Amino acid sequence: MKAIWVALLALLLGGAAQAEVAVPPLVRRVTDLTATLDAQQTQTLEARLAAFEAKKGAQLAVLIVPSTQPETIEQFGIRVAEAWKLGRKGVDDGALLLVAKNDRTLRIEVGYGLEGVLNDATAKRIVDEIIVPHFKRGEFYPGIESGTAAMLRVVDGESLPPPKRAAASGKYDIESLFFIAFGLVVVVGGMLRALLGRFPAALLMGGALGGLAWLMVAPLLVALLVGFMAFVFVLLGGSGRGYGGGGVGGTSGGG
């Protein structure tokens, strides 16, 4: 009986030792589970990949793990690609540079949307001719930096749908629009009021600024609000007299 329990324990331990490496969550563009890169190197790579994604739309990421065993790097790379789902939905323009440091293997996984330009032959050339020579000299950051730079250059030549404007930029546009509208009302509104009269000038400024707002910012309500405010300001503004001094020039004569 004791021998049976020992055999079962050995099987359990052996199975645990052969468990698949867990795929880490995608929380950043550069994930280093080996502490190979320092903070500055990681930040530099992150910034470059983020800037490219904002400009081009394609999403590239780097993952460094100690090992993919018991799986091959190809098997593990497929699991990472399925879990991370890099690239835009419907475009599938993601790519992954995967490095298994202790296994001395690496691989580039490419989404279908980039296979026309970052194909197997090109990916192999980047690995063999750019990254591996650095790795053989123990230069891991230069290898990863040069490899990702080569990937970005290749992907940059592919015709892809333009990236969508970030949602946060809408807030900036609305704030800027109100400043622009206020400046136009003060400067142009006064000139039009003098030339056309209050009501025609107010109608013209309200319509013009409302149309400008509609072109710059999607929400129709914002455009209507800007147009109405411009109409009211031009219609009611400038009713007071100019603020000026009433002093008398000259010198007071002495007796």
Side-chain angles (χ1 to χ4, degrees):
M1 180 65 72
K2 184 177 180 180
I4 294 176
W5 282 110
V6 171
L8 288 174
L9 181 61
L11 287 173
L12 290 173
L13 292 176
Q18 293 298 311
E20 292 179 340
V21 176
V23 175
L26 177 62
V27 295
R28 55 193 308 174
R29 294 174 179 84
V30 179
T31 304
D32 180 11
L33 303 182
T34 64
T36 298
L37 307 178
D38 61 33
Q40 182 61 48
Q41 292 168 344
T42 300
Q43 184 178 358
T44 300
L45 286 173
E46 285 268 357
R48 175 178 295 176
L49 297 178
F52 183 81
E53 184 176 340
K55 179 189 76 169
K56 188 72 175 179
Q59 184 181 22
L60 278 70
V62 176
L63 173 60
I64 311 172
V65 297
S67 173
T68 66
Q69 297 299 322
E71 294 179 297
T72 64
I73 194 169
E74 291 83 5
Q75 293 170 325
F76 182 70
I78 291 173
R79 287 204 295 121
V80 174
E82 291 175 348
W84 283 12
K85 294 180 172 59
L86 294 172
R88 292 171 290 178
K89 186 176 181 180
V91 183
D92 199 12
D93 53 351
L96 169 70
L97 174 58
L98 173 61
V99 178
K101 187 176 180 182
N102 296 343
D103 297 339
R104 302 175 67 86
T105 57
L106 65 150
R107 178 176 175 80
I108 295 176
E109 291 286 345
V110 182
Y112 289 116
L114 298 179
E115 285 186 342
V117 60
L118 192 56
N119 50 45
D120 290 343
T122 302
K124 187 176 187 303
R125 189 162 59 248
I126 292 174
V127 168
D128 293 343
E129 299 178 8
I130 297 177
I131 304 177
V132 168
H134 282 290
F135 280 14
K136 286 183 176 179
R137 296 191 294 267
E139 302 168 349
F140 289 99
Y141 173 70
I144 293 171
E145 190 274 336
S146 300
T148 53
M151 292 170 65
L152 295 181
R153 285 194 299 270
V154 171
V155 174
D156 198 28
E158 179 75 341
S159 178
L160 296 171
K164 292 182 179 179
R165 187 176 63 181
S169 65
K171 180 180 178 182
Y172 174 80
D173 289 339
I174 293 174
E175 292 174 352
S176 300
L177 184 61
F178 277 109
F179 281 111
I180 294 171
F182 180 76
L184 289 175
V185 166
V186 172
V187 178
V188 181
M191 297 171 58
L192 290 177
R193 196 167 49 236
L195 292 173
L196 305 176
R198 289 183 179 277
F199 191 74
L203 280 178
L204 182 59
M205 283 299 297
L209 289 181
L212 177 64
W214 185 73
L215 290 174
M216 292 180 62
V217 184
L220 180 60
L221 183 61
V222 174
L224 292 175
L225 178 61
V226 170
F228 176 74
M229 291 175 62
F231 173 81
V232 172
F233 278 128
V234 174
L235 184 65
L236 302 180
S239 58
R241 297 179 180 273
Y243 188 85
V248 178
T251 59
S252 57

